[in-house]
Amino acid sequence: MQPLLVIKKGSTGPAVIKWQQFLQTQGNSLTADGIFGGDTLAATIVFQQQQGLDADGIVGNNTYAAAAVLGFIIALDIADFIGIDVYHNDGAVNWDAVQTDPQQITFAYIKATEGTGFNDPTFATNRTNALAAGLKVGAYHFYHPELSPVDQANFFTAAITALQPNELPPALDFEPESLGGISTAQATADVNTFITTVQNALGVTPVIYTNYNSWVYVLGNPTNFTQYKLWVADYTNPLPELFGGWNDWAIWQFADKGLVAGIDNGHSTDMNKYNADSGLM
């Protein structure tokens, strides 16, 4: 079952039934028939008004989050695919076993580089074997704001060389605890330089991986990157808390203690959900 992330008038299916059942718990005498018609629309608008939300009748992240506070469980149902991300400390990965894991892992982001001098020693093998196992695969670069963005971008793209069939857009991993002494304005400009350099070299628009604290408190919450798909880390909220002007996410890293077949890392695999409405895959 692959319910829609966003449901609205005209939507049908299991996700609508689940939403209608929730509205019933809020005192609405709806029929949970899986058809988002006029009665469901009206009840949704009333709920949104009660919660102080934009009463547009569309059930998306903010409405789901408000409903989750009242007991609505959606977090495990809103993603079409489950994915992982790995790096050298995850050890030797058996990608054939990953592919047969009952969680139905369908994509993986793999660390390629860090800064201007660290090539992940497992990247090439992981990339080759994950693709051979039939997964969609992307590479990511762990970014250091105190280092040259051009040098980092060139280092990253040299490791990738060129995208292969079934590969995902490259990702900027931005999660510093500080900017290493540079200003937020300079750091923001540098992030833009890194992204455009990678994009020009590989001919594809990168993804931004980050979290609330790094983007808001460290970088100053710039809002001029919303043209790039957001891969957000959030382990505590029922839905990711958005920031930086983004109104949706493409990938949600929802846990860092996952257990996946083929990965022997002490139950510490990063787990991700994919939002099919993003169009990333």
Side-chain angles (χ1 to χ4, degrees):
M1 181 178 70
Q2 295 181 348
L4 297 172
L5 172 63
V6 175
I7 57 174
K8 57 187 177 181
K9 187 174 182 181
S11 297
T12 60
V16 177
I17 292 175
K18 191 167 186 178
W19 179 246
Q20 290 169 327
Q21 290 171 337
F22 167 74
L23 291 174
Q24 288 172 343
T25 69
Q26 303 303 301
N28 293 282
S29 55
L30 293 170
T31 299
D33 58 5
I35 301 172
F36 201 122
D39 290 345
T40 303
L41 175 64
T44 299
I45 289 173
V46 169
F47 174 77
Q48 291 171 327
Q49 290 171 335
Q50 292 172 340
Q51 300 300 313
L53 303 171
D54 183 12
D56 57 6
I58 299 172
V59 184
N61 280 353
N62 291 335
T63 302
Y64 281 136
V69 174
L70 300 175
F72 182 63
I73 301 174
I74 189 65
L76 295 179
D77 292 339
I78 60 176
D80 282 65
F81 311 123
I82 298 295
I84 59 176
D85 56 274
V86 299
Y87 72 130
H88 57 282
N89 280 349
D90 289 313
V93 177
N94 181 337
W95 289 100
D96 290 329
V98 170
Q99 198 275 334
T100 61
D101 187 285
Q103 297 171 94
Q104 298 183 327
I105 310 298
T106 58
F107 71 94
Y109 266 93
I110 300 169
K111 183 176 182 179
T113 51
E114 178 175 342
T116 57
F118 179 77
N119 282 290
D120 190 306
T122 63
F123 172 63
T125 299
N126 278 334
R127 181 188 193 186
T128 298
N129 292 344
L131 286 169
L135 277 72
K136 296 181 181 295
V137 175
Y140 74 86
H141 172 84
F142 192 94
Y143 184 82
H144 284 252
E146 75 279 8
L147 301 177
S148 163
V150 173
D151 289 347
Q152 291 189 78
N154 290 338
F155 186 57
F156 182 38
T157 57
I160 297 174
T161 307
L163 294 186
Q164 302 176 30
N166 218 33
E167 286 201 299
L168 300 172
L172 160 67
D173 180 348
F174 186 89
E175 50 179 314
E177 296 181 356
S178 74
L179 295 178
I182 65 174
S183 68
T184 55
Q186 184 61 58
T188 300
D190 286 350
V191 168
N192 184 69
T193 297
F194 175 91
I195 291 174
T196 55
T197 303
V198 171
Q199 185 170 353
N200 290 339
L202 297 177
V204 64
T205 303
V207 172
I208 296 177
Y209 168 92
T210 191
N211 60 71
Y212 187 93
N213 285 343
S214 292
W215 197 264
V216 174
Y217 295 124
V218 178
L219 194 57
N221 201 29
T223 58
N224 57 320
F225 291 92
T226 56
Q227 68 271 37
Y228 303 105
K229 305 292 187 184
L230 175 64
W231 174 12
V232 59
D234 189 333
Y235 307 150
T236 58
N237 290 307
L239 284 169
E241 184 174 5
L242 297 174
F243 45 84
W246 280 289
N247 57 21
D248 212 344
W249 50 272
I251 300 174
W252 170 21
Q253 187 185 83
F254 65 93
D256 63 351
K257 301 296 181 185
L259 179 63
V260 177
I263 304 179
D264 185 13
N265 61 4
H267 205 298
S268 60
T269 301
D270 291 338
M271 305 297 295
N272 299 275
K273 302 177 188 296
Y274 169 61
N275 172 8
D277 284 355
S278 70
L280 179 64
M281 301 185 197

